């Protein structure tokens, strides 16, 4: 039972580069979320999705894009990496009608 | 929007001491409330939850009661262990689809 899987675990990017953070879940959950975690700041919601084909902005969406072509996958795209995007990124999922969210192990991204 | 506020700063205490972490919330409706725990190098895990006023969530010796009158959901444990060292996040689910988290509190338990 894999749960929520994020790849890669670590990545160093140069300013202006692009990359995609992968997130997949095998629990058939409708809801999926992307958060960033900065020291002392808790978790900030970047984007979320209530089902395949539907995405919506969270608190801090600038500089990011998402897609949800399948129930399982919810990739997060950084088009032009900036130092301000250095953070730990967490993906989470939740089943409709239930309240518990399940988190991946996180991706530590450094932009230099 | 709906939000949660946690007490400032890390918490350092000795083994077997009593732990309290304060959490208050702001919400237009009646959100579900949660405490999540994050151990070093890992993602967040649900510790306990409460879905309506006066509910008490409990797990692994931790407890929190949903207090509508004071809009609070404080986390308590009567006797902490070194293995309880982690970061604790208060959270709420609002609008049926958004999860909002507090800033988290680092708890360090000294043997």
């Amino acid at each position: 039972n894999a749960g929520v899987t994020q790849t890669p675990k670590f990545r160093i990017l140069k300013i202006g580069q692009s990359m995609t953070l992968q997130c997949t879940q095998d629990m058939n959950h409708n809801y999926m979320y992307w958060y960033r975690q900065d020291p002392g700041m808790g978790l900030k919601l970047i984007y979320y999705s209530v089902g395949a084909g539907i995405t919506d902005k969270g608190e801090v969406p600038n500089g990011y894009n998402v897609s949800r072509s399948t129930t399982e996958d919810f990739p997060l795209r950084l088009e032009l990496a900036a130092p301000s995007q250095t953070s730990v990124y967490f993906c989470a999922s939740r089943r409709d009608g239930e309240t518990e969210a399940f988190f991946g192990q996180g991706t530590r991204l450094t932009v230099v | 929007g709906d939000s949660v506020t946690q007490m400032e700063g890390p918490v350092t205490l000795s083994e077997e001491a009593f732990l309290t972490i304060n959490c208050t919330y702001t919400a237009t409706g009646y959100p579900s409330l949660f405490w999540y725990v994050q151990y070093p190098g890992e993602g967040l895990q649900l510790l306990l939850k409460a879905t309506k006023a006066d509910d008490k969530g409990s797990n692994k010796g931790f407890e929190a009661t949903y207090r509508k009158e004071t809009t609070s959901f404080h986390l308590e444990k009567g006797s902490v262990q070194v293995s309880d060292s982690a970061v604790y996040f208060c959270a709420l689910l609002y609008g049926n689809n958004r999860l909002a988290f507090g800033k988290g509190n680092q708890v360090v338990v000294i043997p």
Side-chain angles (χ1 to χ4, degrees), chain B:
Chain B
D2 294 11
S3 64
V4 292
T5 301
Q6 288 181 237
M7 54 189 272
E8 292 289 329
V11 178
T12 302
L13 58 171
S14 299
E15 206 165 22
E16 299 183 3
F18 184 87
L19 170 69
T20 299
I21 305 177
N22 290 342
C23 171
T24 56
Y25 68 90
T26 302
T28 51
Y30 300 97
S32 294
L33 300 172
F34 310 87
W35 279 98
Y36 279 82
V37 59
Q38 184 182 31
Y39 298 104
E42 297 185 11
L44 279 70
Q45 306 171 26
L46 180 66
L47 179 60
L48 53 84
K49 67 179 182 182
T51 56
K52 61 183 188 298
D54 300 324
D55 266 3
K56 178 186 282 189
S58 60
N59 185 27
K60 300 181 181 178
F62 290 89
E63 293 184 340
T65 301
Y66 190 143
R67 301 280 187 207
K68 182 165 165 283
E69 62 277 11
T70 54
T71 61
S72 65
F73 192 56
H74 305 324
L75 182 68
E76 297 180 337
K77 186 172 184 182
S79 176
V80 294
Q81 306 301 313
V82 172
S83 58
D84 293 325
S85 298
V87 182
Y88 292 81
F89 293 91
C90 188
L92 64 79
L93 181 67
Y94 66 100
N96 199 37
N97 53 30
R98 289 201 182 196
L99 263 177
F101 288 85
K103 291 187 177 182
N105 288 100
Q106 173 87 50
V107 172
V108 177
V109 180
I110 301 169

